Amino acid sequence: EAAAIAEQVGHGSGSEQGLFLCSSAPVGVSAMFGNRHLQNRVIQAGDQYTLLIENNGPGGFYTELGRTCVLGRASQEMKDEFAFVLEAQQFVLERLKPGALCKDIFESYNEFMRRNGRPEEKRLHCHGQGYDMVERPLVRFDETMAIRKNMNIVVHPTYATARTFSWVCDNYLIGANGVAEKLHKFPQEIFELS
C-alpha cells in the first residue's frame, strides 16, 4: 500500500511508469527491499521501512530516489552505516568526471569498500539514466564507455548485514569538471517518524 501511494503520486505528477521497491522489518533485522510479491508485511510501530522510487517524469526521463525511515528511532548501527554509505556515495561522486573510465571507478570503489571492512559491490551501484531506467554507462568491471558531460547518473551504494540494510540513492548531473548538480532536493538522512 505504501509503494502504491508512491506510484500514484508519481503518476499524478506526469510519470508513466516505474519500479517501486520496498520492505519493512523490525530495527535490528536487515530490510532489503523487494518486488510487489515480497511487500506484504504489515508495518508495525518501531519498524524500519525502505522505499526505492524509480520512475520517469513528464518528459520521459528516469531518475531514482531511495531512503529508509523508522517508525520510531533508528539504531546507532543504522546511523553509523548510513554515515558510511554517504561517504561511499561521495567517494564515487568525486570520480565521476568527464573522461573517467567506469571500470576504474568500479575497481577503486571496491578497494575503498575492502579498506573499510565493507562488502565489495556485486551489483550495479552506479549507472546512467535517460528514457530507460538503466542506461550506459554502467559503473562496473566490463564497461567501455567513459563518463561524459551532461550525463544523468544515479549513485546508490547498498549493502546488507544481518542487522541492517544500508543504502542511499540519488541522481546527479555531470558537468564539465565533475558532478554539477544533485537532481533531488530530498534530504540525505534516515527519517525517524515518531
Side-chain angles (χ1 to χ4, degrees):
E1 292 169 331
I5 291 168
E7 185 172 12
Q8 182 180 23
V9 169
H11 286 189
S13 298
S15 173
E16 296 175 354
Q17 56 186 330
L19 186 62
F20 301 82
L21 303 178
C22 65
S23 182
S24 68
V27 169
V29 176
S30 186
M32 177 76 171
F33 50 67
N35 289 313
R36 294 281 168 138
H37 67 284
L38 299 172
Q39 297 176 6
N40 60 350
R41 184 179 179 277
V42 175
I43 302 170
Q44 306 291 322
D47 279 354
Q48 60 182 307
Y49 178 80
T50 62
L51 177 63
L52 172 64
I53 300 169
E54 298 181 270
N55 64 341
N56 61 1
F61 279 84
Y62 275 90
T63 58
E64 301 180 31
L65 179 64
R67 296 292 187 271
T68 296
C69 65
V70 181
L71 280 67
R73 296 287 175 217
S75 69
Q76 189 59 50
E77 181 180 17
M78 289 177 71
K79 292 176 183 178
D80 292 346
E81 294 302 324
F82 185 74
F84 180 78
V85 294
L86 289 176
E87 194 178 325
Q89 187 184 61
Q90 187 60 40
F91 181 89
V92 174
L93 294 175
E94 290 169 2
R95 285 149 182 80
L96 293 176
K97 299 178 188 297
L101 296 177
C102 292
K103 65 183 181 105
D104 294 343
I105 297 170
F106 184 74
E107 288 171 9
S108 65
Y109 177 74
N110 274 334
E111 172 55 32
F112 169 82
M113 295 297 279
R114 285 190 302 271
R115 190 170 59 247
N116 285 282
R118 302 312 195 287
E120 287 187 30
E121 188 57 69
K122 305 278 190 229
R123 358 169 339 275
L124 185 58
H125 79 289
C126 179
H127 58 86
Q129 291 195 289
Y131 287 126
D132 287 321
M133 191 179 310
V134 177
E135 289 189 359
R136 294 179 72 193
L138 311 174
V139 175
R140 48 186 249 170
F141 70 95
D142 59 352
E143 178 61 84
T144 58
M145 184 181 285
I147 301 297
R148 297 282 181 243
K149 182 181 174 186
N150 296 324
M151 286 182 167
N152 169 21
I153 304 284
V154 63
V155 184
H156 45 73
T158 306
Y159 60 90
T161 69
R163 294 177 309 280
T164 188
F165 176 64
S166 303
W167 73 311
V168 66
C169 179
D170 298 285
N171 283 76
Y172 296 86
L173 181 65
I174 304 302
N177 300 310
V179 172
E181 178 183 1
K182 180 174 170 260
L183 297 181
H184 301 296
K185 305 303 178 207
F186 205 69
Q188 290 184 311
E189 62 186 69
I190 296 174
F191 291 88
E192 295 178 314
L193 312 171
S194 50

